[in-house]
């Protein structure tokens, strides 16, 4: 405190949950799911440093495949603040339709923080919305995104279910 300089990068650990499915810890939990020709990340993290750490760990775990999507469970600051590094890399953000306009505006506005990855990239974020249900699938994995209705915590909450692995990914329940 008071000495300046960048904070230390967050510690990251990971574990294999199933074939091509990895849990990334060291902050809010993220999942990296390997598809045939790309990767999907569930939850980008609570700040830029965490987002960068999740991206780096995903690339270490699943090299030579691009991260195509990052799923934002809901638009509270501690679940959306790690999305800018994903947008900076051209990764499409999937969020519930209630959050889409806000997220596009927030990531497209002026970025004045020194070192901000999205400001350096000077790239327009790509945001897709999910309604009540959205499915991402190929012959290796299926991710079902479901909107949780009537939830006091957020009206734009998504959960992810991987049926083959019988895994449910949630935040703030």
């Amino acid at each position: 405190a008071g000495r300046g300089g960048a904070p230390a990068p967050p510690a990251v650990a990971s574990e294999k949950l199933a074939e091509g499915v990895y849990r990334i810890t060291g902050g809010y939990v993220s999942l990296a799911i390997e598809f045939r020709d790309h990767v999907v990340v569930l939850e980008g993290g609570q700040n830029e440093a965490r987002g960068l750490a999740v991206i780096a760990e995903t690339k270490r775990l699943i090299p030579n495949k691009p991260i195509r999507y990052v799923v934002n469970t809901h638009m509270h600051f501690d679940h959306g603040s790690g999305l800018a590094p994903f947008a900076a890399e051209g990764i499409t953000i999937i969020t519930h339709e209630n959050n889409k306009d806000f997220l596009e505006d927030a990531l497209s506005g002026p970025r004045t923080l020194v070192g901000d990855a999205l400001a350096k990239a000077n790239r327009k974020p790509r945001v897709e919305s999910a309604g009540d249900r959205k499915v991402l699938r190929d012959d290796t994995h299926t991710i079902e995104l479901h909107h949780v209705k009537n939830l006091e915590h957020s009206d734009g909450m998504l959960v992810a279910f991987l049926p083959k692995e019988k895994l449910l990914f949630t935040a703030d329940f």
Side-chain angles (χ1 to χ4, degrees), residues 83-161:
L83 294 173
F86 288 88
E89 292 207 13
I91 297 165
T92 299
I93 301 164
I94 299 175
T95 193
H96 187 262
E97 60 193 21
N98 291 349
N99 308 325
K100 185 177 187 290
D101 291 342
F102 171 79
L103 189 54
E104 286 175 333
D105 290 347
L107 291 173
S108 296
R111 307 197 63 84
T112 58
L113 296 176
V114 174
D116 180 276
L118 187 52
K120 289 178 185 175
N122 194 27
R123 184 176 283 193
K124 183 174 173 22
R126 293 191 310 235
V127 182
E128 286 185 17
S129 64
D132 287 340
R133 183 172 188 261
K134 184 178 186 90
V135 178
L136 307 172
R137 98 168 21 110
D138 71 5
D139 60 331
T140 61
H141 288 286
T142 298
I143 302 172
E144 297 176 5
L145 301 175
H146 296 273
H147 176 227
V148 181
K149 296 178 182 176
N150 302 317
L151 185 66
E152 286 186 26
H153 186 74
S154 172
D155 66 352
M157 178 73 76
L158 293 175
V159 297
F161 180 60

Side-chain angles (χ1 to χ4, degrees), residues 8 26 29 37 41-42 47 54-55 63 71 84 117 119 124 141 150 153 165 170:
V29 171
D37 63 351
V41 172
L42 303 178
N47 55 45
V54 169
I55 290 169
V71 176
K124 183 174 173 22
H141 288 286
N150 302 317
H153 186 74
E165 297 82 5
T170 68

Side-chain angles (χ1 to χ4, degrees), residues 13-36:
S14 57
E15 67 177 304
K16 185 176 182 177
L17 297 179
E19 192 60 41
V21 180
Y22 300 90
R23 183 172 83 135
I24 301 171
T25 60
Y28 288 11
V29 171
S30 297
L31 288 187
I33 300 104
E34 179 179 13
F35 282 74
R36 175 91 37 227

